[in-house]
Amino acid sequence: AMDMAAAMAISLIGMVYPIVTRTMLNDYIPNANIRAIVISGLVVLGLYVLRWALNYFVQYYGHMIGVRMQSQMRRDLFAHLQRLPFRFYDNHETGRIMTRITSDLFEVCELAHHGPENLLISSVMIVLSFTYLATIDWILTLIIFACVPILVAVTMHFRKAMRRAFDDRRKSNATINAAVESSVTGIRVTKAFTNAEREVEKFSKGDEEFVDASRRAYRAMAKFHSGTSFVTDVFNVFILIAGGLFLYNGAIDFGDYSAFIVSVNLFISPVMTLINFMEQYQTGVTGFERFVEIMDQ
């Protein structure tokens, strides 16, 4: 609860800067109100110091929540493994079991920590930022809102390819773990039969598969990040042109125009966070299903 409250406060503090910017440009600066300018700047600075402390709290204690969850699940899984019959180990390589205890549980706990936080805060920030932008100029706000489906469509397209690629990478990683475990535990047999070259060939094959899977995964990730960044950049260009035309025609004043441009990311960022949350949710649920698969044995 403290982690969620701190994260919410961090997001709300982010709303202060564009509001103060708008007030300064529309009121304090034209009226030469130096005292109000200085006081506003000091208030923002104080809030940023508070946000620094809250960021530390969220990053440290929030992740420790996830670590403790992971630790408890790992202990439950390990204790359950001690009770499973021999036939389970005949059908499951130790390296793959190790992957479920480490990598899969990490994904589960990342979801347990960041999931509720991202879902709640992003939803609130989208509503608040949209409302604030609409108070500045509702037509410009609708232009941004109309572009959001394009961003979602582009993102989901690249996300699917990236998810498949990283799933393949995870499977390749499990293969490497299995190969290492098999080779190390059977090292006496390998040496007795002078079979080291064969073991190296087997490992090299698995390692090459991992490199290929990583290449596909990072290529997909590069397409995702570059594509979404390009779309958000295009959004900013649209706002720059539309806002400039509105300013030229007197439909909006300079202070509101400046505050609107500063505030656009307050709306776009939580939208991106929600899109990323869908991928994190799928990854975490997959890891949890793999955890439950063993616990149900």
Side-chain angles (χ1 to χ4, degrees), residues 93-114:
E93 295 173 300
T94 304
R96 298 184 186 276
I97 297 175
M98 290 172 59
T99 300
R100 300 199 184 196
I101 294 178
T102 54
S103 301
D104 289 346
L105 289 187
F106 174 77
E107 298 294 347
V108 172
C109 295
E110 281 291 289
L111 173 62
H113 167 216
H114 292 291

Side-chain angles (χ1 to χ4, degrees), residues 43-58:
V43 168
V44 173
L45 178 61
L47 289 174
Y48 281 174
V49 171
L50 175 61
R51 188 165 71 169
W52 165 75
L54 293 173
N55 271 318
Y56 176 86
F57 180 88
V58 169

Side-chain angles (χ1 to χ4, degrees), residues 109-154:
C109 295
E110 281 291 289
L111 173 62
H113 167 216
H114 292 291
E117 178 183 298
N118 290 342
L119 188 61
L120 174 63
I121 295 169
S122 296
S123 301
V124 172
M125 284 301 298
I126 288 174
V127 174
L128 290 179
S129 59
F130 182 83
T131 303
Y132 176 66
L133 289 172
T135 61
I136 299 176
D137 191 284
W138 65 272
I139 298 179
L140 284 177
T141 305
L142 289 180
I143 292 175
I144 296 179
F145 191 73
C147 294
V148 169
I150 301 174
L151 177 62
V152 174
V154 171

